[in-house]
């Protein structure tokens, strides 16, 4: 899609009410109904985090032998409720403050790092680990308030920003294919990945995914409003009927081991035994120790852990907001999202809030592009998504009825829309095309937005140095390259320091 700004020569239509005026809905070519629908699409596309985050951080013992919350057994209900609570509050804040269609929740990848690389360290407690997350959030907020984070972002060449959007498009499409089980690691390990189960689509859940994807594509091509939401709901209904008749079951057991390859990847589409309502448990809120980790593992180790989390947060959000802003046509003439500073402030607060809520660092979700793909253009969509998350604290059983196979077709469709921006890269200019290429391919290949951005920036600097064009390298690009070098070498650095 074009990354042109939304300002147009013709006079925009006047707002119809206070909500329209505040969120600039008519001005951005949208309607209240479209924003509500887009917000719901985003919610259903990323609501899996309510189920997945507890399975990642709620099932791991910390260094002191306890589960999150301080018990001897996992408290997944509390983790799920608090995950939805923090996501809801921060997503509403993003909509109201930044007026940008961007949703936030516990960051996938970041939560695994917190669980397995931080909390599981000897002598560490979950309170200490979440304190590190809060520290990281406060530091990144300071970098935003001083203007450093936005300055680094603006120093990135326009072609690399376009490459970031394209790479994220491929990345979220790959996420959708993997989460649905359409692409998976083969049991034989003969190849890195394969199609479905043994190279075929021989399971009902995979056919539900294909049905949802084809329906979304047909509706999009026919320009049906609400195409993505219709596809998600329709695929969920089909999944519910199939499970009711065939009793397919889940892929994994309570320990996470795959016991039924042909089962549902995540979210079993059946009517909950206890009904669709559940009283939320927010007991995890406030269970963090800001400096307890220093006593447990030392200052140097804490600084390295904070740096690792910070860099992932620092650049992941930059890539996400560019990709979403480009799809929504909310970029200025330099390719920067409208209201960049406000977006970054809220995102930084979210990182600290995730730690304070004991649900890991919260960050901007690229799945927000699914709502934008369905027409969302303002912060009202984020408010709707946030309200849906808050309702989900009471309706967690209902949310869990939507399986991956029904929700992930949205990611494939939106991935296509984002990849169309590749036309904006001049592939004849190798000085920019090669860094752009590495940025694009390494995001899906490494399953990391940060790795793709880092490779692109470092390669850009190396090429300019090799050509003697040092003056073309912005000072902040030098700083970013140095930060990424440390990030990529963090393992050897830790080993050298005995950490």
């Amino acid at each position: 899609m074009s990354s042109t700004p939304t300002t147009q020569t013709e006079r925009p239509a006047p707002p119809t009410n206070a909500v329209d005026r505040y969120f600039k809905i008519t001005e951005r070519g949208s309607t209240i109904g479209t924003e509500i629908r887009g917000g719901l699409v985003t919610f259903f596309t990323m609501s899996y985090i309510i189920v997945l985050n507890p399975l990642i951080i709620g099932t791991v013992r910390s260094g002191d032998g306890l589960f999150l919350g301080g018990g001897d057994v996992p408290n997944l209900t509390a983790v799920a409720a608090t995950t939805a609570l923090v996501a809801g509050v921060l997503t509403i804040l993003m909509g109201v403050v930044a007026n940008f269609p961007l949703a936030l929740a516990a960051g996938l990848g970041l939560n695994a790092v917190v669980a397995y690389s931080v909390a599981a360290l000897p002598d560490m407690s979950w309170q200490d680990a979440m304190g590190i997350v809060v520290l990281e959030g406060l530091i990144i907020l300071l970098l935003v308030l001083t203007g450093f984070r936005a300055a680094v972002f603006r120093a990135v060449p326009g072609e690399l920003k376009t490459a970031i959007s394209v790479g994220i498009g491929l990345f979220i499409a790959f996420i959708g294919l993997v989460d649905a089980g359409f692409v998976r690691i083969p049991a034989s390990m003969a190849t890195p990945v394969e199609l479905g189960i043994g190279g075929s689509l021989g399971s009902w859940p995979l056919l539900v995914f294909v049905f949802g994807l084809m329906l979304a594509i047909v509706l999009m091509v026919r320009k049906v409003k609400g195409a993505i939401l219709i596809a998600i709901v329709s695929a969920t209904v089909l999944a519910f009927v199939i499970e009711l008749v065939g009793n397919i079951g889940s892929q994994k057991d309570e320990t996470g081991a795959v016991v039924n390859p042909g089962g549902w990847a995540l979210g079993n589409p059946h009517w909950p035994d206890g009904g669709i309502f559940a009283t939320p448990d927010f007991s995890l809120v406030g269970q963090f120790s800001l400096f307890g980790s220093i006593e447990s593992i030392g200052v140097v180790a804490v600084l390295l852990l904070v740096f690792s989390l910070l860099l992932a947060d620092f650049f992941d959000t930059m890539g996400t907001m560019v990709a979403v802003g480009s799809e929504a046509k909310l970029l200025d003439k330099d390719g920067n999202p409208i209201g960049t500073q406000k977006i970054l402030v809220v995102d930084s607060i979210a990182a600290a809030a995730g730690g304070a809520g004991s649900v890991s660092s919260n960050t901007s979700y690229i799945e927000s592009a699914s709502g934008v793909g369905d027409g969302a253009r303002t912060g009202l969509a984020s408010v709707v998504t946030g309200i849906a998350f808050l309702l989900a604290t009471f309706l967690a059983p209902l949310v869990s009825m939507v399986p991956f196979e029904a929700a992930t077709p949205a990611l494939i469709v939106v991935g296509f829309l984002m990849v169309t921006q590749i036309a904006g890269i001049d592939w004849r200019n190798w000085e920019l095309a090669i860094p752009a290429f590495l940025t694009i391919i390494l995001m899906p290949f490494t399953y990391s937005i940060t790795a793709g951005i880092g490779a692109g920036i470092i390669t850009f600097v190396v090429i300019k140095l090799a050509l003697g064009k040092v003056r073309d390298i912005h000072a902040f690009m030098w700083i970013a390259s140095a930060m990424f070098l440390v990030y990529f070498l963090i393992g050897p650095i830790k080993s050298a320091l005995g950490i």
Side-chain angles (χ1 to χ4, degrees), residues 444-459:
F445 289 171
T446 63
Y447 223 67
S448 168
I449 294 174
T450 302
I453 296 175
I457 287 177
I458 290 175
T459 305

Side-chain angles (χ1 to χ4, degrees), residues 423-437:
I425 299 173
D426 182 3
W427 294 102
R428 296 167 298 182
N429 180 1
W430 286 14
E431 294 177 31
L432 286 171
I434 292 175
F437 173 71

Side-chain angles (χ1 to χ4, degrees), residues 437-494:
F437 173 71
L438 291 176
T439 299
I440 291 169
I441 65 169
L442 286 179
M443 286 187 189
F445 289 171
T446 63
Y447 223 67
S448 168
I449 294 174
T450 302
I453 296 175
I457 287 177
I458 290 175
T459 305
F460 171 83
V461 171
V462 169
I463 289 175
K464 291 298 184 182
L465 279 174
L467 295 176
K469 298 181 177 180
V470 179
R471 291 184 178 180
D472 291 351
I473 307 174
H474 193 285
F476 285 114
M477 291 292 281
W478 285 107
I479 296 173
S481 295
M483 293 170 67
F484 273 116
L485 283 175
V486 175
Y487 178 77
F488 288 135
L489 297 173
I490 197 71
I493 291 173
K494 286 183 179 180

Side-chain angles (χ1 to χ4, degrees), residues 66 181 195 197 246 303 319:
L66 300 176
L195 173 68
I197 305 170
L303 290 176

Side-chain angles (χ1 to χ4, degrees), residues 198-218:
S200 72
L201 304 179
S203 75
W204 284 108
L206 287 180
L207 293 179
V208 168
F209 168 77
V210 173
F211 166 78
L213 178 59
M214 291 299 106
L215 179 59
I217 290 172
V218 170

Side-chain angles (χ1 to χ4, degrees), residues 321-344:
M321 68 182 188
V322 168
V324 173
S326 180
E327 181 62 28
K329 296 183 175 64
L330 294 176
L331 302 182
D332 62 22
K333 59 183 178 59
D334 298 317
N336 302 314
I338 297 172
T340 292
Q341 184 71 359
K342 292 179 179 179
I343 296 171
L344 294 177

Side-chain angles (χ1 to χ4, degrees), residues 257-456:
V258 176
V259 295
N260 177 20
W264 304 101
L266 184 67
N268 199 331
H270 69 280
W271 192 258
D273 296 334
I276 62 174
F277 296 99
T279 303
D281 178 358
F282 300 138
S283 59
L284 292 176
V285 176
Q287 289 197 28
F288 70 96
S289 175
L290 194 58
F291 300 111
S293 57
I294 295 177
E295 297 180 8
S296 300
I297 60 175
V299 175
V300 176
V302 168
L303 290 176
L304 286 175
L305 290 173
V306 168
F307 177 79
S308 298
L309 293 174
L310 185 146
L311 200 64
D313 260 348
F314 193 98
F315 285 98
D316 266 20
T317 297
M318 288 186 178
T320 299
M321 68 182 188
V322 168
V324 173
S326 180
E327 181 62 28
K329 296 183 175 64
L330 294 176
L331 302 182
D332 62 22
K333 59 183 178 59
D334 298 317
N336 302 314
I338 297 172
T340 292
Q341 184 71 359
K342 292 179 179 179
I343 296 171
L344 294 177
V345 167
V346 176
D347 183 83
S348 303
I349 293 173
S358 298
V359 292
S360 185
S361 177
N362 272 229
T363 188
S364 300
Y365 261 56
I366 190 56
E367 283 86 348
S368 306
S370 62
V372 170
D374 212 46
R377 294 293 181 270
T378 76
L380 180 58
S382 294
V383 172
V384 172
T385 303
I387 292 173
F389 268 115
L390 295 182
L391 291 175
T393 62
F394 298 92
L395 299 171
L398 180 63
V399 173
S400 65
M401 287 174 55
V402 181
F404 264 170
E405 292 82 359
T408 50
L411 300 183
I412 314 302
V413 173
V414 175
F416 159 73
L417 294 174
M418 296 171 67
V419 168
T420 59
Q421 299 172 54
I422 199 168
I425 299 173
D426 182 3
W427 294 102
R428 296 167 298 182
N429 180 1
W430 286 14
E431 294 177 31
L432 286 171
I434 292 175
F437 173 71
L438 291 176
T439 299
I440 291 169
I441 65 169
L442 286 179
M443 286 187 189
F445 289 171
T446 63
Y447 223 67
S448 168
I449 294 174
T450 302
I453 296 175

